[in-house]
Amino acid sequence: MDPTTLPTRLFAIISSGALDELDALLHPEFVCHGPAGRALDADGLRALVAEFRSAFPDMTVAALDVVAAGDRVGWRVDGHGTHTGPFLGVAPTGRRVRLLGVDLARVQDGRVREMWSGEDLAGVLMQIGAIPVPTPA
């Protein structure tokens, strides 16, 4: 399988909410290095995505500018959703948000073995009014 198709397939599953389908793309020893230095296994990633989808149930995400070299695949993340459920202690605002980021994955045996997730959660929190948007000096 062409490793550059993995991010597109991954985000199609996340956007659909069919998280049980992630197992087909994740290596049995999968680990995701995520926000705040947390390392998540496949179950942890599923739980994180489910929590996010609960707050933004219409969230769709896409992998853009996918590049591959050796066993590494990188891409830009672009997502959109509406804040209709609690998110990190913030009550629903009904605001439409855009999620941006950059991810890198290591592929082994045709599946994602390791991933470094760089989504801009602070940007999402700014968009829902949980933290102030910095203003230029």
PDB file of all heavy atoms in Angstrom, residues 56-98:
ATOM      1  N   PHE A  56     -17.535  18.417  18.967  1.00  0.00           N
ATOM      2  CA  PHE A  56     -17.666  18.941  17.605  1.00  0.00           C
ATOM      3  C   PHE A  56     -18.189  17.803  16.710  1.00  0.00           C
ATOM      4  O   PHE A  56     -17.441  17.274  15.889  1.00  0.00           O
ATOM      5  CB  PHE A  56     -16.309  19.442  17.085  1.00  0.00           C
ATOM      6  CG  PHE A  56     -15.661  20.480  17.961  1.00  0.00           C
ATOM      7  CD1 PHE A  56     -14.796  20.103  18.981  1.00  0.00           C
ATOM      8  CD2 PHE A  56     -15.918  21.822  17.760  1.00  0.00           C
ATOM      9  CE1 PHE A  56     -14.200  21.053  19.798  1.00  0.00           C
ATOM     10  CE2 PHE A  56     -15.323  22.791  18.578  1.00  0.00           C
ATOM     11  CZ  PHE A  56     -14.474  22.400  19.598  1.00  0.00           C
ATOM     12  N   PRO A  57     -19.453  17.402  16.862  1.00  0.00           N
ATOM     13  CA  PRO A  57     -19.939  16.197  16.168  1.00  0.00           C
ATOM     14  C   PRO A  57     -19.939  16.271  14.644  1.00  0.00           C
ATOM     15  O   PRO A  57     -19.901  15.243  13.981  1.00  0.00           O
ATOM     16  CB  PRO A  57     -21.357  16.011  16.709  1.00  0.00           C
ATOM     17  CG  PRO A  57     -21.715  17.296  17.355  1.00  0.00           C
ATOM     18  CD  PRO A  57     -20.455  18.000  17.727  1.00  0.00           C
ATOM     19  N   ASP A  58     -19.946  17.481  14.102  1.00  0.00           N
ATOM     20  CA  ASP A  58     -19.917  17.624  12.642  1.00  0.00           C
ATOM     21  C   ASP A  58     -18.499  17.842  12.114  1.00  0.00           C
ATOM     22  O   ASP A  58     -18.311  18.179  10.945  1.00  0.00           O
ATOM     23  CB  ASP A  58     -20.830  18.771  12.198  1.00  0.00           C
ATOM     24  CG  ASP A  58     -20.371  20.140  12.716  1.00  0.00           C
ATOM     25  OD1 ASP A  58     -19.566  20.195  13.681  1.00  0.00           O
ATOM     26  OD2 ASP A  58     -20.836  21.161  12.177  1.00  0.00           O
ATOM     27  N   MET A  59     -17.498  17.616  12.966  1.00  0.00           N
ATOM     28  CA  MET A  59     -16.102  17.854  12.581  1.00  0.00           C
ATOM     29  C   MET A  59     -15.709  16.989  11.391  1.00  0.00           C
ATOM     30  O   MET A  59     -15.954  15.785  11.374  1.00  0.00           O
ATOM     31  CB  MET A  59     -15.169  17.557  13.745  1.00  0.00           C
ATOM     32  CG  MET A  59     -13.685  17.704  13.439  1.00  0.00           C
ATOM     33  SD  MET A  59     -13.126  19.365  12.995  1.00  0.00           S
ATOM     34  CE  MET A  59     -13.237  20.207  14.557  1.00  0.00           C
ATOM     35  N   THR A  60     -15.127  17.637  10.414  1.00  0.00           N
ATOM     36  CA  THR A  60     -14.501  16.926   9.302  1.00  0.00           C
ATOM     37  C   THR A  60     -13.055  17.383   9.240  1.00  0.00           C
ATOM     38  O   THR A  60     -12.756  18.561   9.470  1.00  0.00           O
ATOM     39  CB  THR A  60     -15.196  17.203   7.960  1.00  0.00           C
ATOM     40  OG1 THR A  60     -15.160  18.608   7.701  1.00  0.00           O
ATOM     41  CG2 THR A  60     -16.625  16.703   7.961  1.00  0.00           C
ATOM     42  N   VAL A  61     -12.158  16.452   8.995  1.00  0.00           N
ATOM     43  CA  VAL A  61     -10.733  16.761   8.912  1.00  0.00           C
ATOM     44  C   VAL A  61     -10.178  16.171   7.623  1.00  0.00           C
ATOM     45  O   VAL A  61     -10.661  15.155   7.133  1.00  0.00           O
ATOM     46  CB  VAL A  61      -9.939  16.233  10.131  1.00  0.00           C
ATOM     47  CG1 VAL A  61     -10.210  17.075  11.352  1.00  0.00           C
ATOM     48  CG2 VAL A  61     -10.247  14.788  10.410  1.00  0.00           C
ATOM     49  N   ALA A  62      -9.163  16.838   7.103  1.00  0.00           N
ATOM     50  CA  ALA A  62      -8.527  16.384   5.873  1.00  0.00           C
ATOM     51  C   ALA A  62      -7.018  16.489   6.021  1.00  0.00           C
ATOM     52  O   ALA A  62      -6.508  17.329   6.764  1.00  0.00           O
ATOM     53  CB  ALA A  62      -8.987  17.246   4.694  1.00  0.00           C
ATOM     54  N   ALA A  63      -6.325  15.617   5.321  1.00  0.00           N
ATOM     55  CA  ALA A  63      -4.868  15.653   5.242  1.00  0.00           C
ATOM     56  C   ALA A  63      -4.496  16.335   3.927  1.00  0.00           C
ATOM     57  O   ALA A  63      -4.902  15.893   2.861  1.00  0.00           O
ATOM     58  CB  ALA A  63      -4.303  14.242   5.288  1.00  0.00           C
ATOM     59  N   LEU A  64      -3.735  17.408   4.028  1.00  0.00           N
ATOM     60  CA  LEU A  64      -3.315  18.169   2.855  1.00  0.00           C
ATOM     61  C   LEU A  64      -1.800  18.107   2.718  1.00  0.00           C
ATOM     62  O   LEU A  64      -1.086  17.941   3.710  1.00  0.00           O
ATOM     63  CB  LEU A  64      -3.752  19.627   2.991  1.00  0.00           C
ATOM     64  CG  LEU A  64      -5.241  19.865   3.266  1.00  0.00           C
ATOM     65  CD1 LEU A  64      -5.493  21.346   3.494  1.00  0.00           C
ATOM     66  CD2 LEU A  64      -6.093  19.330   2.139  1.00  0.00           C
ATOM     67  N   ASP A  65      -1.315  18.276   1.524  1.00  0.00           N
ATOM     68  CA  ASP A  65       0.131  18.341   1.261  1.00  0.00           C
ATOM     69  C   ASP A  65       0.869  17.138   1.842  1.00  0.00           C
ATOM     70  O   ASP A  65       1.885  17.277   2.527  1.00  0.00           O
ATOM     71  CB  ASP A  65       0.733  19.642   1.805  1.00  0.00           C
ATOM     72  CG  ASP A  65       0.110  20.876   1.169  1.00  0.00           C
ATOM     73  OD1 ASP A  65      -0.228  20.813  -0.028  1.00  0.00           O
ATOM     74  OD2 ASP A  65      -0.038  21.884   1.866  1.00  0.00           O
ATOM     75  N   VAL A  66       0.376  15.955   1.592  1.00  0.00           N
ATOM     76  CA  VAL A  66       0.980  14.722   2.110  1.00  0.00           C
ATOM     77  C   VAL A  66       2.310  14.475   1.405  1.00  0.00           C
ATOM     78  O   VAL A  66       2.395  14.532   0.177  1.00  0.00           O
ATOM     79  CB  VAL A  66       0.038  13.516   1.899  1.00  0.00           C
ATOM     80  CG1 VAL A  66       0.677  12.237   2.389  1.00  0.00           C
ATOM     81  CG2 VAL A  66      -1.308  13.762   2.586  1.00  0.00           C
ATOM     82  N   VAL A  67       3.353  14.232   2.207  1.00  0.00           N
ATOM     83  CA  VAL A  67       4.671  13.925   1.665  1.00  0.00           C
ATOM     84  C   VAL A  67       5.207  12.684   2.379  1.00  0.00           C
ATOM     85  O   VAL A  67       4.895  12.436   3.539  1.00  0.00           O
ATOM     86  CB  VAL A  67       5.660  15.097   1.821  1.00  0.00           C
ATOM     87  CG1 VAL A  67       5.227  16.280   0.986  1.00  0.00           C
ATOM     88  CG2 VAL A  67       5.816  15.507   3.265  1.00  0.00           C
ATOM     89  N   ALA A  68       6.013  11.904   1.658  1.00  0.00           N
ATOM     90  CA  ALA A  68       6.581  10.691   2.234  1.00  0.00           C
ATOM     91  C   ALA A  68       8.050  10.575   1.864  1.00  0.00           C
ATOM     92  O   ALA A  68       8.455  10.956   0.760  1.00  0.00           O
ATOM     93  CB  ALA A  68       5.817   9.461   1.742  1.00  0.00           C
ATOM     94  N   ALA A  69       8.830  10.051   2.809  1.00  0.00           N
ATOM     95  CA  ALA A  69      10.244   9.758   2.583  1.00  0.00           C
ATOM     96  C   ALA A  69      10.598   8.564   3.454  1.00  0.00           C
ATOM     97  O   ALA A  69      10.454   8.620   4.680  1.00  0.00           O
ATOM     98  CB  ALA A  69      11.119  10.955   2.937  1.00  0.00           C
ATOM     99  N   GLY A  70      11.003   7.472   2.824  1.00  0.00           N
ATOM    100  CA  GLY A  70      11.310   6.262   3.591  1.00  0.00           C
ATOM    101  C   GLY A  70      10.075   5.775   4.329  1.00  0.00           C
ATOM    102  O   GLY A  70       9.013   5.620   3.736  1.00  0.00           O
ATOM    103  N   ASP A  71      10.212   5.580   5.643  1.00  0.00           N
ATOM    104  CA  ASP A  71       9.081   5.091   6.435  1.00  0.00           C
ATOM    105  C   ASP A  71       8.305   6.219   7.109  1.00  0.00           C
ATOM    106  O   ASP A  71       7.471   5.974   7.980  1.00  0.00           O
ATOM    107  CB  ASP A  71       9.553   4.079   7.489  1.00  0.00           C
ATOM    108  CG  ASP A  71      10.464   4.686   8.540  1.00  0.00           C
ATOM    109  OD1 ASP A  71      10.904   5.844   8.372  1.00  0.00           O
ATOM    110  OD2 ASP A  71      10.729   3.997   9.545  1.00  0.00           O
ATOM    111  N   ARG A  72       8.554   7.472   6.705  1.00  0.00           N
ATOM    112  CA  ARG A  72       7.886   8.634   7.308  1.00  0.00           C
ATOM    113  C   ARG A  72       6.887   9.252   6.337  1.00  0.00           C
ATOM    114  O   ARG A  72       7.144   9.338   5.137  1.00  0.00           O
ATOM    115  CB  ARG A  72       8.889   9.718   7.714  1.00  0.00           C
ATOM    116  CG  ARG A  72      10.020   9.249   8.592  1.00  0.00           C
ATOM    117  CD  ARG A  72       9.521   8.779   9.941  1.00  0.00           C
ATOM    118  NE  ARG A  72      10.561   8.065  10.645  1.00  0.00           N
ATOM    119  CZ  ARG A  72      10.894   8.274  11.896  1.00  0.00           C
ATOM    120  NH1 ARG A  72      10.259   9.165  12.614  1.00  0.00           N
ATOM    121  NH2 ARG A  72      11.843   7.567  12.460  1.00  0.00           N
ATOM    122  N   VAL A  73       5.754   9.686   6.899  1.00  0.00           N
ATOM    123  CA  VAL A  73       4.729  10.376   6.133  1.00  0.00           C
ATOM    124  C   VAL A  73       4.318  11.600   6.943  1.00  0.00           C
ATOM    125  O   VAL A  73       4.062  11.489   8.147  1.00  0.00           O
ATOM    126  CB  VAL A  73       3.488   9.485   5.881  1.00  0.00           C
ATOM    127  CG1 VAL A  73       2.447  10.227   5.073  1.00  0.00           C
ATOM    128  CG2 VAL A  73       3.871   8.186   5.209  1.00  0.00           C
ATOM    129  N   GLY A  74       4.263  12.753   6.295  1.00  0.00           N
ATOM    130  CA  GLY A  74       3.841  13.980   6.967  1.00  0.00           C
ATOM    131  C   GLY A  74       2.711  14.641   6.201  1.00  0.00           C
ATOM    132  O   GLY A  74       2.542  14.405   5.007  1.00  0.00           O
ATOM    133  N   TRP A  75       1.936  15.473   6.899  1.00  0.00           N
ATOM    134  CA  TRP A  75       0.817  16.144   6.267  1.00  0.00           C
ATOM    135  C   TRP A  75       0.362  17.324   7.110  1.00  0.00           C
ATOM    136  O   TRP A  75       0.628  17.404   8.292  1.00  0.00           O
ATOM    137  CB  TRP A  75      -0.356  15.185   6.051  1.00  0.00           C
ATOM    138  CG  TRP A  75      -0.906  14.581   7.318  1.00  0.00           C
ATOM    139  CD1 TRP A  75      -1.904  15.088   8.106  1.00  0.00           C
ATOM    140  CD2 TRP A  75      -0.490  13.364   7.949  1.00  0.00           C
ATOM    141  NE1 TRP A  75      -2.127  14.268   9.181  1.00  0.00           N
ATOM    142  CE2 TRP A  75      -1.269  13.193   9.111  1.00  0.00           C
ATOM    143  CE3 TRP A  75       0.474  12.406   7.647  1.00  0.00           C
ATOM    144  CZ2 TRP A  75      -1.129  12.116   9.961  1.00  0.00           C
ATOM    145  CZ3 TRP A  75       0.619  11.314   8.512  1.00  0.00           C
ATOM    146  CH2 TRP A  75      -0.182  11.179   9.640  1.00  0.00           C
ATOM    147  N   ARG A  76      -0.347  18.242   6.436  1.00  0.00           N
ATOM    148  CA  ARG A  76      -1.033  19.336   7.132  1.00  0.00           C
ATOM    149  C   ARG A  76      -2.448  18.887   7.444  1.00  0.00           C
ATOM    150  O   ARG A  76      -3.074  18.182   6.656  1.00  0.00           O
ATOM    151  CB  ARG A  76      -1.116  20.587   6.245  1.00  0.00           C
ATOM    152  CG  ARG A  76       0.146  21.356   6.140  1.00  0.00           C
ATOM    153  CD  ARG A  76      -0.030  22.728   5.455  1.00  0.00           C
ATOM    154  NE  ARG A  76      -0.790  22.704   4.204  1.00  0.00           N
ATOM    155  CZ  ARG A  76      -1.992  23.247   4.042  1.00  0.00           C
ATOM    156  NH1 ARG A  76      -2.617  23.864   5.032  1.00  0.00           N
ATOM    157  NH2 ARG A  76      -2.593  23.189   2.863  1.00  0.00           N
ATOM    158  N   VAL A  77      -2.934  19.306   8.593  1.00  0.00           N
ATOM    159  CA  VAL A  77      -4.301  18.996   9.031  1.00  0.00           C
ATOM    160  C   VAL A  77      -5.164  20.236   8.820  1.00  0.00           C
ATOM    161  O   VAL A  77      -4.763  21.335   9.173  1.00  0.00           O
ATOM    162  CB  VAL A  77      -4.324  18.609  10.531  1.00  0.00           C
ATOM    163  CG1 VAL A  77      -5.752  18.376  11.009  1.00  0.00           C
ATOM    164  CG2 VAL A  77      -3.433  17.420  10.790  1.00  0.00           C
ATOM    165  N   ASP A  78      -6.337  20.035   8.253  1.00  0.00           N
ATOM    166  CA  ASP A  78      -7.309  21.121   8.114  1.00  0.00           C
ATOM    167  C   ASP A  78      -8.678  20.558   8.437  1.00  0.00           C
ATOM    168  O   ASP A  78      -9.149  19.630   7.766  1.00  0.00           O
ATOM    169  CB  ASP A  78      -7.273  21.690   6.696  1.00  0.00           C
ATOM    170  CG  ASP A  78      -8.027  23.006   6.560  1.00  0.00           C
ATOM    171  OD1 ASP A  78      -8.626  23.473   7.556  1.00  0.00           O
ATOM    172  OD2 ASP A  78      -8.016  23.569   5.457  1.00  0.00           O
ATOM    173  N   GLY A  79      -9.291  21.072   9.490  1.00  0.00           N
ATOM    174  CA  GLY A  79     -10.595  20.572   9.903  1.00  0.00           C
ATOM    175  C   GLY A  79     -11.548  21.701  10.257  1.00  0.00           C
ATOM    176  O   GLY A  79     -11.118  22.826  10.540  1.00  0.00           O
ATOM    177  N   HIS A  80     -12.832  21.368  10.238  1.00  0.00           N
ATOM    178  CA  HIS A  80     -13.886  22.334  10.572  1.00  0.00           C
ATOM    179  C   HIS A  80     -14.960  21.618  11.377  1.00  0.00           C
ATOM    180  O   HIS A  80     -15.249  20.443  11.118  1.00  0.00           O
ATOM    181  CB  HIS A  80     -14.526  22.906   9.300  1.00  0.00           C
ATOM    182  CG  HIS A  80     -13.576  23.642   8.437  1.00  0.00           C
ATOM    183  ND1 HIS A  80     -12.758  23.019   7.529  1.00  0.00           N
ATOM    184  CD2 HIS A  80     -13.275  24.954   8.363  1.00  0.00           C
ATOM    185  CE1 HIS A  80     -12.013  23.919   6.919  1.00  0.00           C
ATOM    186  NE2 HIS A  80     -12.306  25.102   7.405  1.00  0.00           N
ATOM    187  N   GLY A  81     -15.550  22.330  12.327  1.00  0.00           N
ATOM    188  CA  GLY A  81     -16.647  21.758  13.098  1.00  0.00           C
ATOM    189  C   GLY A  81     -17.332  22.827  13.929  1.00  0.00           C
ATOM    190  O   GLY A  81     -16.827  23.943  14.078  1.00  0.00           O
ATOM    191  N   THR A  82     -18.476  22.450  14.497  1.00  0.00           N
ATOM    192  CA  THR A  82     -19.265  23.358  15.316  1.00  0.00           C
ATOM    193  C   THR A  82     -19.236  22.892  16.761  1.00  0.00           C
ATOM    194  O   THR A  82     -19.485  21.715  17.049  1.00  0.00           O
ATOM    195  CB  THR A  82     -20.727  23.416  14.815  1.00  0.00           C
ATOM    196  OG1 THR A  82     -20.716  23.647  13.399  1.00  0.00           O
ATOM    197  CG2 THR A  82     -21.509  24.507  15.512  1.00  0.00           C
ATOM    198  N   HIS A  83     -18.948  23.807  17.667  1.00  0.00           N
ATOM    199  CA  HIS A  83     -18.802  23.509  19.093  1.00  0.00           C
ATOM    200  C   HIS A  83     -20.193  23.377  19.732  1.00  0.00           C
ATOM    201  O   HIS A  83     -20.775  24.342  20.205  1.00  0.00           O
ATOM    202  CB  HIS A  83     -18.001  24.633  19.756  1.00  0.00           C
ATOM    203  CG  HIS A  83     -17.743  24.426  21.195  1.00  0.00           C
ATOM    204  ND1 HIS A  83     -17.718  25.467  22.093  1.00  0.00           N
ATOM    205  CD2 HIS A  83     -17.489  23.312  21.907  1.00  0.00           C
ATOM    206  CE1 HIS A  83     -17.462  24.997  23.299  1.00  0.00           C
ATOM    207  NE2 HIS A  83     -17.323  23.695  23.213  1.00  0.00           N
ATOM    208  N   THR A  84     -20.725  22.142  19.753  1.00  0.00           N
ATOM    209  CA  THR A  84     -22.067  21.907  20.290  1.00  0.00           C
ATOM    210  C   THR A  84     -22.071  21.034  21.544  1.00  0.00           C
ATOM    211  O   THR A  84     -23.132  20.734  22.077  1.00  0.00           O
ATOM    212  CB  THR A  84     -22.982  21.259  19.227  1.00  0.00           C
ATOM    213  OG1 THR A  84     -22.404  20.014  18.827  1.00  0.00           O
ATOM    214  CG2 THR A  84     -23.150  22.176  18.020  1.00  0.00           C
ATOM    215  N   GLY A  85     -20.881  20.642  22.012  1.00  0.00           N
ATOM    216  CA  GLY A  85     -20.772  19.860  23.248  1.00  0.00           C
ATOM    217  C   GLY A  85     -19.629  20.391  24.080  1.00  0.00           C
ATOM    218  O   GLY A  85     -18.785  21.151  23.585  1.00  0.00           O
ATOM    219  N   PRO A  86     -19.549  20.032  25.366  1.00  0.00           N
ATOM    220  CA  PRO A  86     -18.455  20.523  26.206  1.00  0.00           C
ATOM    221  C   PRO A  86     -17.091  20.120  25.638  1.00  0.00           C
ATOM    222  O   PRO A  86     -16.931  19.021  25.113  1.00  0.00           O
ATOM    223  CB  PRO A  86     -18.693  19.830  27.549  1.00  0.00           C
ATOM    224  CG  PRO A  86     -20.076  19.290  27.502  1.00  0.00           C
ATOM    225  CD  PRO A  86     -20.444  19.122  26.067  1.00  0.00           C
ATOM    226  N   PHE A  87     -16.121  21.032  25.750  1.00  0.00           N
ATOM    227  CA  PHE A  87     -14.770  20.755  25.271  1.00  0.00           C
ATOM    228  C   PHE A  87     -13.776  21.315  26.269  1.00  0.00           C
ATOM    229  O   PHE A  87     -13.734  22.524  26.505  1.00  0.00           O
ATOM    230  CB  PHE A  87     -14.545  21.383  23.889  1.00  0.00           C
ATOM    231  CG  PHE A  87     -13.181  21.124  23.315  1.00  0.00           C
ATOM    232  CD1 PHE A  87     -12.782  19.841  22.984  1.00  0.00           C
ATOM    233  CD2 PHE A  87     -12.296  22.160  23.103  1.00  0.00           C
ATOM    234  CE1 PHE A  87     -11.524  19.585  22.451  1.00  0.00           C
ATOM    235  CE2 PHE A  87     -11.031  21.934  22.571  1.00  0.00           C
ATOM    236  CZ  PHE A  87     -10.648  20.637  22.247  1.00  0.00           C
ATOM    237  N   LEU A  88     -12.987  20.430  26.873  1.00  0.00           N
ATOM    238  CA  LEU A  88     -11.981  20.810  27.860  1.00  0.00           C
ATOM    239  C   LEU A  88     -12.554  21.758  28.909  1.00  0.00           C
ATOM    240  O   LEU A  88     -11.949  22.767  29.271  1.00  0.00           O
ATOM    241  CB  LEU A  88     -10.754  21.431  27.170  1.00  0.00           C
ATOM    242  CG  LEU A  88     -10.006  20.516  26.202  1.00  0.00           C
ATOM    243  CD1 LEU A  88      -8.875  21.264  25.519  1.00  0.00           C
ATOM    244  CD2 LEU A  88      -9.469  19.286  26.929  1.00  0.00           C
ATOM    245  N   GLY A  89     -13.755  21.435  29.375  1.00  0.00           N
ATOM    246  CA  GLY A  89     -14.401  22.225  30.424  1.00  0.00           C
ATOM    247  C   GLY A  89     -15.147  23.450  29.935  1.00  0.00           C
ATOM    248  O   GLY A  89     -15.692  24.202  30.738  1.00  0.00           O
ATOM    249  N   VAL A  90     -15.182  23.663  28.621  1.00  0.00           N
ATOM    250  CA  VAL A  90     -15.872  24.833  28.059  1.00  0.00           C
ATOM    251  C   VAL A  90     -17.244  24.404  27.552  1.00  0.00           C
ATOM    252  O   VAL A  90     -17.351  23.484  26.736  1.00  0.00           O
ATOM    253  CB  VAL A  90     -15.051  25.462  26.913  1.00  0.00           C
ATOM    254  CG1 VAL A  90     -15.780  26.673  26.330  1.00  0.00           C
ATOM    255  CG2 VAL A  90     -13.658  25.829  27.391  1.00  0.00           C
ATOM    256  N   ALA A  91     -18.273  25.072  28.053  1.00  0.00           N
ATOM    257  CA  ALA A  91     -19.644  24.767  27.626  1.00  0.00           C
ATOM    258  C   ALA A  91     -19.798  25.070  26.138  1.00  0.00           C
ATOM    259  O   ALA A  91     -19.087  25.917  25.583  1.00  0.00           O
ATOM    260  CB  ALA A  91     -20.631  25.606  28.437  1.00  0.00           C
ATOM    261  N   PRO A  92     -20.737  24.376  25.469  1.00  0.00           N
ATOM    262  CA  PRO A  92     -20.949  24.604  24.039  1.00  0.00           C
ATOM    263  C   PRO A  92     -21.239  26.071  23.726  1.00  0.00           C
ATOM    264  O   PRO A  92     -21.976  26.731  24.450  1.00  0.00           O
ATOM    265  CB  PRO A  92     -22.164  23.744  23.709  1.00  0.00           C
ATOM    266  CG  PRO A  92     -22.255  22.748  24.808  1.00  0.00           C
ATOM    267  CD  PRO A  92     -21.657  23.385  26.023  1.00  0.00           C
ATOM    268  N   THR A  93     -20.629  26.553  22.655  1.00  0.00           N
ATOM    269  CA  THR A  93     -20.815  27.952  22.242  1.00  0.00           C
ATOM    270  C   THR A  93     -21.580  28.082  20.928  1.00  0.00           C
ATOM    271  O   THR A  93     -22.024  29.163  20.585  1.00  0.00           O
ATOM    272  CB  THR A  93     -19.450  28.644  22.055  1.00  0.00           C
ATOM    273  OG1 THR A  93     -18.746  27.969  20.994  1.00  0.00           O
ATOM    274  CG2 THR A  93     -18.637  28.634  23.339  1.00  0.00           C
ATOM    275  N   GLY A  94     -21.681  26.980  20.186  1.00  0.00           N
ATOM    276  CA  GLY A  94     -22.297  27.039  18.871  1.00  0.00           C
ATOM    277  C   GLY A  94     -21.394  27.655  17.811  1.00  0.00           C
ATOM    278  O   GLY A  94     -21.795  27.800  16.660  1.00  0.00           O
ATOM    279  N   ARG A  95     -20.173  27.985  18.192  1.00  0.00           N
ATOM    280  CA  ARG A  95     -19.244  28.604  17.237  1.00  0.00           C
ATOM    281  C   ARG A  95     -18.651  27.569  16.289  1.00  0.00           C
ATOM    282  O   ARG A  95     -18.348  26.464  16.675  1.00  0.00           O
ATOM    283  CB  ARG A  95     -18.112  29.312  17.969  1.00  0.00           C
ATOM    284  CG  ARG A  95     -18.563  30.518  18.749  1.00  0.00           C
ATOM    285  CD  ARG A  95     -17.396  31.195  19.418  1.00  0.00           C
ATOM    286  NE  ARG A  95     -17.854  32.331  20.200  1.00  0.00           N
ATOM    287  CZ  ARG A  95     -17.094  33.017  21.017  1.00  0.00           C
ATOM    288  NH1 ARG A  95     -15.814  32.693  21.170  1.00  0.00           N
ATOM    289  NH2 ARG A  95     -17.580  34.026  21.698  1.00  0.00           N
ATOM    290  N   ARG A  96     -18.466  27.997  15.073  1.00  0.00           N
ATOM    291  CA  ARG A  96     -17.792  27.187  14.055  1.00  0.00           C
ATOM    292  C   ARG A  96     -16.293  27.404  14.235  1.00  0.00           C
ATOM    293  O   ARG A  96     -15.849  28.543  14.396  1.00  0.00           O
ATOM    294  CB  ARG A  96     -18.253  27.654  12.677  1.00  0.00           C
ATOM    295  CG  ARG A  96     -17.791  26.796  11.562  1.00  0.00           C
ATOM    296  CD  ARG A  96     -18.875  25.824  11.155  1.00  0.00           C
ATOM    297  NE  ARG A  96     -18.425  25.138   9.962  1.00  0.00           N
ATOM    298  CZ  ARG A  96     -18.343  23.824   9.875  1.00  0.00           C
ATOM    299  NH1 ARG A  96     -18.701  23.069  10.877  1.00  0.00           N
ATOM    300  NH2 ARG A  96     -17.920  23.256   8.778  1.00  0.00           N
ATOM    301  N   VAL A  97     -15.516  26.323  14.246  1.00  0.00           N
ATOM    302  CA  VAL A  97     -14.077  26.426  14.448  1.00  0.00           C
ATOM    303  C   VAL A  97     -13.329  25.778  13.294  1.00  0.00           C
ATOM    304  O   VAL A  97     -13.869  24.938  12.576  1.00  0.00           O
ATOM    305  CB  VAL A  97     -13.616  25.785  15.778  1.00  0.00           C
ATOM    306  CG1 VAL A  97     -14.309  26.420  16.964  1.00  0.00           C
ATOM    307  CG2 VAL A  97     -13.827  24.287  15.768  1.00  0.00           C
ATOM    308  N   ARG A  98     -12.068  26.173  13.193  1.00  0.00           N
ATOM    309  CA  ARG A  98     -11.161  25.564  12.225  1.00  0.00           C
ATOM    310  C   ARG A  98      -9.986  24.984  13.006  1.00  0.00           C
ATOM    311  O   ARG A  98      -9.374  25.682  13.819  1.00  0.00           O
ATOM    312  CB  ARG A  98     -10.668  26.600  11.219  1.00  0.00           C
ATOM    313  CG  ARG A  98      -9.826  25.985  10.120  1.00  0.00           C
ATOM    314  CD  ARG A  98      -9.539  26.997   9.046  1.00  0.00           C
ATOM    315  NE  ARG A  98      -8.847  26.349   7.933  1.00  0.00           N
ATOM    316  CZ  ARG A  98      -8.215  27.017   6.997  1.00  0.00           C
ATOM    317  NH1 ARG A  98      -8.210  28.347   7.019  1.00  0.00           N
ATOM    318  NH2 ARG A  98      -7.607  26.370   6.025  1.00  0.00           N
TER     319      ARG A  98
END
